[in-house]
Amino acid sequence: MLKKSLELLRQEAAETGTHTLKRSLSAFNLVAIGVGVIIGAGLFSLTGIAAANHTGPAVTLSFLVAAVGCAFSALCYAEFASMVPVAGSAYTYSYATLGELFAWIIGWDLVLEYSVGAAAVAISWSQYLTRFLAKYDLHIPAQLVMSPFETSTLADGSVVHGFVNLPAILIVLAITAIVIRGTQGSAWVNATIVALKVSVVLVFIALGWQYIDPANYQPYIPANTGTFGEFGLSGILRGAGVIFFVFIGFDIVATMAQEAKKPQRDMPIGIIGSLVVCTILFVLFGHVMTGLANYTEFKNSAAPVAIAIEKTPYAWLSQAIIIAILIGYTSVILVDLLGQSRVFFSMSRDGLLPKIFSEIHPRFQTPYKSNVLLAALISAFAGLVPIQVVGEMTSIGTLLAFVMVCLGVLIMRKQQPDAPRAFRTPWVPLVPIMGILTCLLMMFSLPWDTWLRLIVWLAAGLVIYYLYGKKHSKLRLAQEQAKVKA
């Protein structure tokens, strides 16, 4: 298996001006980073859909199942990331530890986490914006806020079909323009956005708790309809797979291993601590949301908070909450677009993707052509695909990446047991195996058509790799030239 050497990665890091990272993060810093990243767009969008279609009020149990899978995977992710002595994505360090093909699969799979994830957030952003404007009698035609595969019943009883989700497309294009210009958010702006997201959750829980209607919890686990995944225990599992999107971002904590003061102690505290804090908040959030409104009211809505808060005397507060959510969503889309373009940038520099993905703007010094192409792809998803489909694709793609990371730890412990590790996953092989099984369980609980899309996506990626990436791989070409000289 063709692998990048750690020495080569060090040389590349030196070429780009990256130096040894300073160990300055405490366990508290890591927990704070994790909480800020994990509380993102999925909580405010897919929670309602999961409750309406799969779990009922038992969406709280789905949060717990998803959190367990995250905990096992995160501990593996931390070791995997800490083995490579330079900063980089899952793509970069998998290239060094498991080989080029494995790296390609993860890099291609990350498109589902970043690009498709950004589309899901954009769709939810559109629905919250529509509700916000409606309060001021500003109405966007229903056909322009839905995909062609969705319908809506108007106030007069007529049913209209969607044409395109225009606001979702526009927000992707607007943020792409910002990303291309290379605007960097200052620390206080990022801290403000994180504070807004956390505040929305806390305010919603605190104000909504006293207006919970216990009747909405009956039954807490609705009986299965006879179809796998539609309520009952199978519904809880499928709900966990759907809302796994909510936990996306926790792996950012694992990539901080090189910057932790005491990685052996601080990494488990940061990873598990942030997951515990967020899981508690998510369970309370889901409990209040399904207590304020009957779970059936959230069907096909990517704005469940707005529906729930209107059941309280604080309906006026919904506007302020929606503004905070829109700001938070905007930052999530921006981070996703940055992350995706940087992954493609790395793959392009390695020769696995065309040079266009690594061409830098002479003034802004950003991969602008890559950003433009990604904007076209992501805006098409956002404008033409329903939120549930996009959310499930994001979840299954991320779950697959986590399965591969857990598997990678098992392989590397056998192949390179003495390689330096800033952090070592505890209880190997139990933790990686449990991570694999938990994530696979959630993956298999997702609908077959989601699996079909994943298989088609990965097959398309492998075709690109064998037709283009493998032939243009700089590492492979260098090794072939070395053999000729020898």
Side-chain angles (χ1 to χ4, degrees), residues 57 209-220 287 290-294:
W209 194 277
Q210 55 189 319
Y211 297 100
I212 288 175
D213 181 0
N216 289 326
Y217 295 133
Q218 303 302 323
Y220 196 75
H287 182 73
T290 52
L292 289 175
N294 189 275

Side-chain angles (χ1 to χ4, degrees), residues 146-442:
M146 295 186 297
S147 77
F149 306 98
E150 296 174 293
T151 60
S152 177
T153 303
L154 303 181
D156 60 4
S158 60
V159 177
V160 296
H161 286 267
F163 177 68
V164 66
N165 196 327
L166 186 59
I169 291 176
L170 294 178
I171 188 62
V172 170
L173 297 180
I175 295 179
T176 296
I178 294 173
V179 170
I180 288 175
R181 289 185 62 85
T183 302
Q184 296 182 350
S186 63
W188 71 267
V189 170
N190 289 329
T192 301
I193 291 174
V194 169
L196 273 173
K197 292 191 290 187
V198 175
S199 297
V200 168
V201 175
L202 293 175
V203 168
F204 178 76
I205 293 170
L207 295 182
W209 194 277
Q210 55 189 319
Y211 297 100
I212 288 175
D213 181 0
N216 289 326
Y217 295 133
Q218 303 302 323
Y220 196 75
I221 304 178
N224 183 264
T225 61
T227 301
F228 184 90
E230 292 184 7
F231 309 106
L233 294 179
S234 65
I236 292 172
L237 286 176
R238 178 164 293 180
V242 171
I243 63 172
F244 195 82
F245 179 80
V246 173
F247 287 96
I248 290 175
F250 82 89
D251 47 341
I252 295 298
V253 180
T255 66
M256 303 291 178
Q258 298 170 49
E259 298 170 78
K261 290 180 180 177
K262 298 179 179 179
Q264 287 286 357
R265 183 200 68 180
D266 295 346
M267 289 307 296
I269 294 175
I271 293 169
I272 302 301
S274 57
L275 279 174
V276 168
V277 171
C278 289
T279 301
I280 291 172
L281 289 176
F282 291 172
V283 169
L284 292 174
F285 180 92
H287 182 73
V288 171
M289 188 188 76
T290 52
L292 289 175
N294 189 275
Y295 67 90
T296 57
E297 297 184 52
F298 301 123
K299 196 170 185 64
N300 298 324
S301 173
V305 175
I307 293 174
I309 202 70
E310 288 174 359
K311 304 294 183 179
T312 74
Y314 303 107
W316 56 270
L317 188 62
S318 66
Q319 293 297 84
I321 289 178
I322 289 175
I323 290 176
I325 290 174
L326 290 174
I327 293 172
Y329 273 16
T330 302
S331 71
V332 173
I333 298 172
L334 188 145
V335 170
D336 281 344
L337 294 180
L338 279 172
Q340 182 61 73
S341 63
R342 271 52 180 180
V343 170
F344 273 12
F345 175 81
S346 297
M347 296 175 75
S348 176
R349 287 194 63 187
D350 290 332
L352 302 183
L353 284 176
K355 188 178 179 181
I356 189 172
F357 287 100
S358 57
E359 291 183 5
I360 300 298
H361 194 282
R363 177 184 173 190
F364 302 127
Q365 293 186 301
T366 57
Y368 67 111
K369 291 183 179 179
S370 178
N371 289 133
V372 170
L373 292 173
L374 286 169
L377 170 70
I378 296 169
S379 60
F381 266 100
L384 303 174
V385 183
I387 178 72
Q388 183 169 352
V389 172
V390 176
E392 288 173 356
M393 287 182 67
T394 305
S395 291
I396 198 169
T398 308
L399 284 164
L400 177 60
F402 291 168
V403 167
M404 296 174 77
V405 167
C406 292
L407 182 61
V409 168
L410 290 173
I411 294 174
M412 293 310 298
R413 283 290 185 96
K414 187 170 183 64
Q415 291 184 349
Q416 299 186 31
D418 299 323
R421 292 164 168 85
F423 172 79
R424 295 180 69 88
T425 302
W427 305 314
V428 174
L430 177 63
V431 168
I433 291 174
M434 289 303 297
I436 292 171
L437 293 177
T438 307
C439 290
L440 283 176
L441 184 63
M442 285 186 276

